[in-house]
Structures are given as C-alpha cells and as structure tokens.
C-alpha cells in the first residue's frame, strides 16, 4: 500500500491541519478490522453506527465521546477453567475510534442480541445556519431633491 506525504502542502495550506490528519488516519484505517461495523445514514441529519459484539455483554463495553472523537472500547475478561477445542468467536479486547463531524452528537446507544447500535444526529446551531441578509440602500423613487442651484 502506498502512503502519501502531505508535508509539502503544510507550507501553503493554512488552517487545514485537521483535514490532513483525517487523510492520514484514513490511510491507517485499513489496518484494524475488528469488530465489524456498519455506518448508516437514516436521513440528512441522522446517522447510525451498528457494531457486532458477539460474546460481549454491555458491562464489558465502554463508549465515550471527547472532542469529536467517538471511542468504543471492549475488555473481555477471561474466565478461569475454560478450555476451548475450537475458538471461532473472536472475543479479544479492542479499541475502535470514529471521528465525528462538527455539530454531530451522540443521542443514545442500545445493546441487543450482540449488536451495539449508536444513534447520532447533526444539530447545527442557529448562528451557523444560512440566513438572508437585507441590503440597505436608497431607492431612486423615494429620493427627493431639497435645493438646486444653477452653477
């Protein structure tokens, strides 16, 4: 796999540091595939992440959000006396991170039948929404001449 060096772009692009960090993180994303997950867009402002956590219970999973990064961690405790002839269900410890866009908030999470479902919603503040600006100016039909002198 080829890697791209973004360092020459840092000289001429100001304020895009986060964009380059996201691009570099996307290159590394292919390294870890456990646990499997889906990201679904429900409508324009609602999203849902579904993570397959077979063998985990809700108390073995921690979900945190900090500075637009959603972190999902699972810690599986080994039980004493278990002897497996074949272990096909992976139940290892993991840490998976999702970078959230600005104004995307976690609205809730549910765990049912080995599937963790995380509900996300984009809530743009009123100050950030587009608004129409009135243009002030004199209208020619309402302009009256007060005094006129011939030069």
């Amino acid at each position: 796999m080829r890697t791209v060096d973004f360092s020459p772009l840092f000289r001429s692009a100001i304020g895009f540091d986060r964009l380059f960090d996201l691009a570099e993180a996307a290159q590394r994303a292919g390294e870890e595939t456990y646990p499997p997950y889906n990201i679904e867009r429900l409508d324009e402002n609602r999203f849902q992440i579904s993570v397959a956590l077979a063998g985990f219970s809700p108390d073995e999973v921690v979900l945190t959000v900090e500075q637009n990064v959603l972190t999902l961690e699972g810690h599986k405790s080994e039980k004493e006396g278990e002897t497996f002839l074949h272990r096909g269900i992976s139940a290892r410890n993991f840490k998976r991170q999702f970078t959230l866009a600005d104004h995307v908030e976690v609205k809730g999470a549910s765990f049912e039948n080995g599937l963790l479902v995380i509900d996300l919603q984009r809530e743009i503040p009123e100050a950030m929404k587009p608004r129409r600006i009135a243009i002030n100016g004199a209208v020619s039909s309402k302009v009256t001449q007060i005094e006129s002198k011939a030069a």
Side-chain angles (χ1 to χ4, degrees):
M1 183 173 171
R2 296 174 58 180
T3 59
V4 179
D5 182 21
F6 293 108
S7 57
L9 298 174
F10 289 139
R11 293 189 300 258
S12 61
I14 299 168
F16 292 95
D17 303 341
R18 181 178 163 149
L19 179 65
F20 296 132
D21 291 342
L22 289 174
E24 289 174 353
Q27 287 179 342
R28 293 187 303 266
E31 298 171 3
E32 182 64 36
T33 60
Y34 181 79
Y37 64 93
N38 292 336
I39 300 176
E40 182 179 0
R41 182 183 201 131
L42 302 176
D43 62 33
E44 187 176 331
N45 292 317
R46 289 182 28 228
F47 307 91
Q48 194 173 66
I49 301 173
S50 302
V51 185
L53 298 176
F56 283 86
S57 64
D59 60 333
E60 295 172 326
V61 178
V62 177
L63 187 63
T64 57
V65 178
E66 184 179 354
Q67 296 180 356
N68 291 356
V69 176
L70 173 66
T71 304
L72 175 63
E73 294 182 78
H75 300 285
K76 190 69 177 167
S77 57
E78 293 292 326
K79 295 180 182 175
E80 295 295 323
E82 287 184 329
T83 304
F84 291 97
L85 297 177
H86 172 74
R87 189 169 192 163
I89 299 173
S90 181
R92 61 182 185 246
N93 296 338
F94 66 88
K95 181 176 182 178
R96 164 84 57 191
Q97 293 185 324
F98 300 94
T99 303
L100 302 177
D102 292 336
H103 311 297
V104 173
E105 297 179 10
V106 177
K107 289 298 179 183
S110 62
F111 195 95
E112 187 175 341
N113 298 327
L115 194 64
L116 175 67
V117 178
I118 306 164
D119 296 314
L120 306 167
Q121 184 164 355
R122 179 183 301 137
E123 293 182 354
I124 301 173
E126 285 296 322
M128 300 293 291
K129 289 183 181 177
R131 58 189 171 107
R132 187 173 204 122
I133 308 297
I135 301 173
N136 294 329
V139 180
S140 62
S141 64
K142 294 184 179 180
V143 175
T144 58
Q145 186 173 358
I146 297 176
E147 186 177 319
S148 89
K149 288 187 178 180

